[in-house]
Amino acid sequence: MQNFWDQRYAQRVKLMKSSAIRDLLKLTEQPEIISFAGGLPAPDVFPIEQVDAASHKVLQERGAQALQYGPSEGYGPLLELIARTASRDGLPITPENVFITSGSQQGLDFIGRLLVNPGDLVLVESPTYMGALQALAPYGAEYVTIPSDEHGMITSSLEEVLATRKPKLMYVLPNFQNPAGVTMSLERRRQLVELAIRYEIPIIEDDPYSQLRFEGEHLPSLLTLENELRGTEEDTYRGYIIQLNTFSKVLAPGLRVAWMIAAPELVRKLVQSKQGADLQTASLNQMIAYELMRDGFIERHIPLIRRTYRERRDVMLNAMDEHFPACIHWTRPEGGMFLWITLPEGMNATELLREAVKENVAFVPGASFHAEGGVQNTLRLSFSNATPERIREGIARLGRVFHKAVAAQTTTASTHV
Ligand SMILES: Cc1ncc(COP(=O)(O)O)c(C=O)c1O
């Protein structure tokens, strides 16, 4: 039945979709459910005392400023500190390149507002972060998917697509990708950046997880590679990369403080978007993040997050080896918060989720991470939020669900021979 509002929505509302994860999160709030669904950090590593001390310090020393309106581009000392940190490896990043957002998610929305016209092609990996698909869709983005494997986006496929189509933007997650957990190899990063330069296509480099590496070597960002490849002598970065970073995974998502690095011309337009959206990100929260970054706390804190997630990843992988049928495959992330499961062809992860919830365990079916849909036999597990004991128990329960489904599939197949 139509309600009063149904006839009044703007055209773009038709393009908006509710996130399957958010809907699921409601269900998984029940304490008896072991949830591997939401991408939630571990509450055990939230630095509650340090945030308390930093907010006390800020309020004591600069209370009026913390409770006052501030500049739309962000708190000046934080912009400067981020610029200084980002230019450590020789990148020409100045405060003019930096822009504070209320979470990276807001950054994605602003990019949509500024750069996407209805019908514009946006290249994304398959699978990709559902929140980006949701953010750009209302502006009329049409997605073109590039397949990925355990080394990230397959750049030879990208090259084939670029030979015939002219996308407006590319959206890429090079490190411990959400949802697949895979990391793009150095060779492919180079190829991607070369193609972006050759075809003059901006890249959104969404990078919330790069500091959460548990093993292997840190790889240069797309921003660094692009700056090298263009080989300019600029003293302020003016290239094609828009890099999204956030305090959500290294401090706390509830603060809603994130930042973007981009060409100053684009930053000035982003600031206008911000003025129309929420004027500015909360002054107090920016100042807390600044204090904890300035005194080196965040850098000292990250090893604890890495150790915690590494242990949880290992517990999950070992439990999967023990409990999952041999015909199921999964990724082995070197960092981040997620891993990706591929079930045998013909199995449907959404149907399996119903069975899993009966066993009080939850995951996210993979279909909603595929911009063009259609892929039913994949799913995402998050290993960051549940304790090791709950991970062991949850994976054992999932193993029972998967074994039953595989047995049912085998029976159906044999009765059809
Ligand atoms: C790839 C990716 N981008 C952006 C976000 C949003 O982060 P924020 O909390 O900074 O809005 C997330 C959160 O899970 C994410 O995984």
Side-chain angles (χ1 to χ4, degrees):
M1 211 181 48
Q2 285 219 324
N3 68 32
F4 175 81
W5 295 107
D6 285 335
Q7 297 142 27
R8 288 165 176 81
Y9 290 123
Q11 299 282 349
R12 63 183 163 279
V13 173
K14 288 203 193 79
L15 304 169
M16 285 163 67
K17 282 197 196 133
S18 155
S19 150
I21 299 189
R22 293 230 152 256
D23 294 345
L24 257 171
L25 272 176
K26 279 190 213 131
L27 177 76
T28 58
E29 270 161 20
Q30 300 157 25
E32 65 276 16
I33 298 244
I34 298 178
S35 177
F36 303 129
L40 303 181
D44 342 26
V45 300
F46 287 154
I48 297 172
E49 277 169 30
Q50 287 78 3
V51 172
D52 183 21
S55 62
H56 188 73
K57 181 167 190 280
V58 166
L59 288 169
Q60 289 293 310
E61 293 175 3
R62 284 158 291 154
Q65 191 183 5
L67 299 180
Q68 187 55 281
Y69 288 116
S72 297
E73 58 270 36
Y75 175 54
L78 182 59
L79 298 178
E80 277 169 34
L81 181 57
I82 288 171
R84 251 200 330 276
T85 311
S87 44
R88 266 190 211 150
D89 342 326
L91 275 172
I93 304 298
T94 70
E96 282 178 275
N97 292 117
V98 187
F99 170 61
I100 305 291
T101 55
S102 303
S104 285
Q105 192 63 35
Q106 185 180 50
L108 289 167
D109 178 49
F110 287 171
I111 293 168
R113 254 191 233 197
L114 291 186
L115 300 180
V116 177
N117 281 319
D120 278 347
L121 300 184
V122 176
L123 289 187
V124 296
E125 296 156 281
S126 189
T128 192
Y129 173 52
M130 189 194 313
L133 299 176
Q134 272 189 301
L136 303 182
Y139 298 104
E142 289 194 6
Y143 297 113
V144 177
T145 57
I146 307 293
S148 56
D149 61 18
E150 70 274 24
H151 306 295
M153 179 192 272
I154 301 175
T155 35
S156 52
S157 304
L158 171 67
E159 193 160 9
E160 282 166 26
V161 169
L162 291 179
T164 56
R165 309 185 79 170
K166 179 107 187 75
K168 185 74 166 281
L169 277 177
M170 298 196 254
Y171 171 73
V172 186
L173 302 120
N175 295 304
F176 328 120
Q177 204 239 25
N178 180 1
V182 298
T183 293
M184 194 174 200
S185 68
L186 181 57
E187 197 190 336
R188 287 196 185 166
R189 288 176 196 229
R190 286 221 170 88
Q191 284 163 350
L192 168 64
V193 167
E194 274 166 18
L195 288 168
I197 294 173
R198 189 184 326 150
Y199 291 95
E200 302 191 327
I201 304 167
I203 301 179
I204 311 172
E205 176 177 30
D206 193 359
D207 197 24
Y209 303 106
S210 58
Q211 301 206 63
L212 305 184
R213 181 178 271 286
F214 328 136
E215 63 191 34
E217 250 177 68
H218 172 79
L219 296 173
S221 67
L222 302 181
L223 181 71
T224 305
L225 292 172
E226 190 249 13
N227 190 64
E228 267 171 33
L229 274 171
R230 274 186 315 116
T232 63
E233 297 291 315
E234 295 158 349
D235 48 18
T236 302
Y237 176 74
R238 293 187 192 278
Y240 302 160
I241 310 286
I242 308 170
Q243 194 186 60
L244 302 181
N245 297 280
T246 180
F247 286 106
S248 288
K249 317 296 174 176
V250 292
L251 189 55
L255 288 173
R256 310 306 301 134
V257 185
W259 70 97
M260 285 167 86
I261 295 182
E265 300 75 19
L266 184 67
V267 167
R268 285 197 287 276
K269 285 281 175 212
L270 288 163
V271 171
Q272 288 171 12
S273 253
K274 184 85 175 156
Q275 286 163 354
D278 62 353
L279 295 180
Q280 60 159 119
T281 295
S283 308
L284 176 60
N285 294 8
Q286 291 187 70
M287 289 166 82
I288 292 170
Y290 169 73
E291 279 305 322
L292 294 172
M293 187 173 170
R294 183 188 63 88
D295 73 4
F297 168 73
I298 295 180
E299 224 159 291
R300 293 194 299 280
H301 180 58
I302 288 171
L304 169 70
I305 307 177
R306 285 195 198 121
R307 275 200 306 280
T308 307
Y309 292 1
R310 183 191 182 120
E311 185 199 2
R312 292 176 186 200
R313 177 207 60 176
D314 290 344
V315 167
M316 187 172 269
L317 289 173
N318 289 337
M320 287 162 76
D321 279 338
E322 189 180 334
H323 296 288
F324 282 7
C327 56
I328 289 179
H329 301 286
W330 52 88
T331 57
R332 255 198 79 87
E334 294 183 330
M337 297 177 17
F338 306 104
L339 58 79
W340 185 247
I341 294 187
T342 306
L343 304 166
E345 286 289 333
M347 278 173 95
N348 183 317
T350 309
E351 282 167 17
L352 282 185
L353 176 61
R354 272 183 223 117
E355 298 308 310
V357 168
K358 288 184 201 154
E359 296 269 349
N360 282 335
V361 57
F363 55 80
V364 188
S368 32
F369 299 100
H370 293 282
E372 292 171 321
V375 184
Q376 299 299 343
N377 64 326
T378 56
L379 59 103
R380 186 191 78 177
L381 297 184
S382 160
F383 50 79
S384 53
N385 184 253
T387 58
E389 298 68 45
R390 289 188 41 106
I391 292 177
R392 270 186 218 102
E393 175 55 32
I395 293 295
R397 291 182 197 173
L398 263 187
R400 288 198 289 276
V401 173
F402 290 163
H403 273 290
K404 236 195 251 172
V406 170
Q409 201 188 32
T410 318
T411 318
T412 318
S414 57
T415 52
H416 282 79
V417 201

